[in-house]
Amino acid sequence: MSAGKKIVIIVAVIVILLSIALSIGEIAVGSLYLRDCPAQRYLPIYLIVAGVFAFCSGGGDGAKIRSRSSNDEGGASSVDICGIIVSIFLFAWLICGSVWVFQLKQCDEDVLTPQTNATDGCFTFDSDYSSKSFYCHKTAYEFAFTDIVIRWVLTALILIFQICAMCL
């Protein structure tokens, strides 16, 4: 095995392990704050679904690597086809999550008063407004924001390394 292929495999394993760890965090944060972001009720759901599917696909990637090493016939296995379907779903889900998270903007503090019942497309982290429709728990929002940025970086890395792997 060439040194280039070894590097690609090592980076692929690191990306898979990072993705699995991130998936566990997504499931945990999404579950903990399921009802704590009425400003964007899909945000915790996005985290849970993304975490479950990404966690499952991390295991699928490992099975795919093992099946390729033991079966070099060149045909697509059912593991490959399922992995492609899950990857397409996760990419579409990442786009949805990006829209849901990045469309939110934080309210100016001078807009909020104890009598405020609705806002014009903004949200607040202030727990004094936790019963209002424009509230979102700070941890849920910031985790989702950071998670989506990391997922886009991982997606780019996976694409780059798959292109490199085809060239080797």
Side-chain angles (χ1 to χ4, degrees):
M1 183 180 304
S2 71
K5 282 190 178 186
K6 286 181 184 177
I7 291 171
V8 168
I9 289 172
I10 289 169
V11 171
V13 169
I14 290 170
V15 167
I16 289 169
L17 292 175
L18 181 60
S19 181
I20 289 172
L22 196 56
S23 300
I24 293 169
E26 288 170 329
I27 295 167
V29 171
S31 299
L32 285 172
Y33 300 106
L34 187 59
R35 306 270 184 241
D36 292 337
C37 191
Q40 182 45 271
R41 62 187 173 105
Y42 295 123
L43 191 143
I45 295 168
Y46 162 77
L47 289 173
I48 294 168
V49 172
V52 168
F53 274 85
F55 185 81
C56 292
S57 75
D61 288 341
K64 190 171 18 176
I65 291 167
R66 286 190 300 278
S67 72
R68 280 206 185 123
S69 63
S70 62
N71 181 13
D72 290 327
E73 296 171 5
S77 70
S78 61
V79 173
D80 291 336
I81 293 168
C82 289
I84 290 169
I85 292 169
V86 169
S87 294
I88 290 169
F89 170 78
L90 282 171
F91 185 70
W93 195 244
L94 179 62
I95 292 170
C96 291
S98 298
V99 169
W100 293 328
V101 169
F102 295 136
Q103 78 179 1
L104 291 174
K105 62 180 188 211
Q106 199 166 357
C107 296
D108 292 327
E109 293 303 317
D110 57 338
V111 173
L112 301 175
T113 67
Q115 293 78 27
T116 304
N117 287 321
T119 61
D120 188 26
C122 66
F123 75 100
T124 183
F125 297 134
D126 189 344
S127 60
D128 292 341
Y129 300 97
S130 62
S131 64
K132 305 289 185 176
S133 65
F134 52 88
Y135 173 76
C136 190
H137 195 281
K138 187 173 185 170
T139 303
Y141 177 79
E142 289 181 348
F143 184 88
F145 185 93
T146 305
D147 172 75
I148 287 173
V149 171
I150 291 171
R151 289 280 179 203
W152 278 114
V153 169
L154 287 176
T155 300
L157 286 174
I158 289 168
L159 183 63
I160 290 167
F161 283 106
Q162 289 207 350
I163 291 170
C164 289
M166 288 188 312
C167 295
L168 296 175

